[in-house]
Amino acid sequence: MPPFPKPKFQYTYNVSAEIDHLRQHKLTRGVPAKAPDRLLIATWNIANFGVQERTGDDRQLIAEVVGWFDAFAVQETHVSPSSTTAPNSLC
């Protein structure tokens, strides 16, 4: 499937405010806290991950959500068929 085109506008946001919103959403959705007696596993379909360049702020938001879980799978990453490395957005 071809990747979505990059938006033609600059999207700006306040990282601290967005992390606060994410944490509130975590409570609203009832995502349990990590605990020694439970394993939290998640998947996230980030469409075309690796096609469009992510900023450090974008990666901070992604890391916030990933950090809530013990094991995490990202779906729909985009890597060139000839590439043997992960998308640079993961770094």
Side-chain angles (χ1 to χ4, degrees), residues 49-65:
F49 192 61
V51 173
Q52 297 166 4
E53 188 171 331
R54 306 286 176 155
T55 66
D57 290 347
D58 298 334
R59 288 188 293 272
Q60 273 188 272
L61 295 178
I62 292 168
E64 172 65 28
V65 176

Side-chain angles (χ1 to χ4, degrees), residues 9-90:
F9 59 89
Q10 183 67 29
Y11 185 77
T12 58
Y13 54 87
N14 179 295
V15 178
S16 296
E18 292 304 320
I19 287 175
D20 289 343
H21 294 146
L22 284 169
R23 290 177 180 166
Q24 182 59 48
H25 187 67
K26 176 185 177 189
L27 295 173
T28 301
R29 293 296 304 260
V31 177
K34 288 184 178 181
D37 62 341
R38 79 171 58 112
L39 179 64
L40 298 176
I41 301 173
T43 64
W44 187 354
N45 185 335
I46 304 178
N48 305 308
F49 192 61
V51 173
Q52 297 166 4
E53 188 171 331
R54 306 286 176 155
T55 66
D57 290 347
D58 298 334
R59 288 188 293 272
Q60 273 188 272
L61 295 178
I62 292 168
E64 172 65 28
V65 176
V66 170
W68 300 344
F69 302 93
D70 300 305
F72 199 90
V74 176
Q75 302 170 62
E76 271 199 42
T77 59
H78 179 83
V79 178
S80 166
S82 63
S83 175
T84 58
T85 60
N88 65 3
S89 297
L90 292 172

